[in-house]
Amino acid sequence: MGLGLLVLGGKVFVDGAVGVALGVGMSERLVGLTIVAVGTSLPELATSVIAALRGHSAIAVGNVVGSNIFNVLIILGGAALARPLAGSPGTMAVDLIALGALTASAAVAMRTERVLGRAEDALLVMYVTFLVALILAG
């Protein structure tokens, strides 16, 4: 029941937020990289927080990493099979470079001590900087 409510809540959140964002003039790309990304990641966040609170940090990390790999390879690939995905190579290059840099930084952070500290907080700063650059670029 909890999983069902979590999925339903995520869908309601994403649908409402996307409607509002597009209504105020945000680009589809910005909506996808922010609101949809957050909304579809809420179930993983809830699962990871619960696992971490119960002392199962490996499950928390595995959940996040596995979910992201699944989304990039299976969901994106499945969507491309259903209908070819079109986009500007220049725009995608910036997004893919950001994805690669954040992924590499996260991999380094996970290879160090088992506790995330201030140095690893740079990942959040990098992501927020990327989002601010997107917003400013319009």
Side-chain angles (χ1 to χ4, degrees), residues 23-134:
V24 298
M26 287 177 68
S27 70
E28 286 185 7
R29 176 175 172 234
L30 186 57
V31 169
L33 289 170
T34 56
I35 297 168
V36 175
V38 169
T40 58
S41 296
L42 289 177
E44 286 87 6
L45 176 63
T47 303
S48 295
V49 168
I50 291 168
L53 289 173
R54 293 182 179 170
H56 302 288
S57 59
I59 290 176
V61 171
N63 178 49
V64 171
V65 172
S67 172
N68 286 307
I69 290 171
F70 183 82
N71 284 336
V72 170
L73 298 178
I74 304 300
I75 303 301
L76 185 60
L81 280 174
R83 183 173 183 190
L85 302 174
S88 164
T91 300
M92 287 188 291
V94 171
D95 296 344
L96 291 173
I97 289 169
L99 172 67
L102 287 165
T103 301
S105 299
V108 169
M110 286 189 271
R111 302 262 317 147
T112 60
E113 295 180 33
R114 296 191 61 100
V115 176
L116 296 179
R118 288 187 178 150
E120 289 80 8
D121 289 344
L123 290 169
L124 181 60
V125 171
M126 288 170 60
Y127 180 64
V128 170
T129 302
F130 173 66
L131 293 180
V132 169
L134 282 178

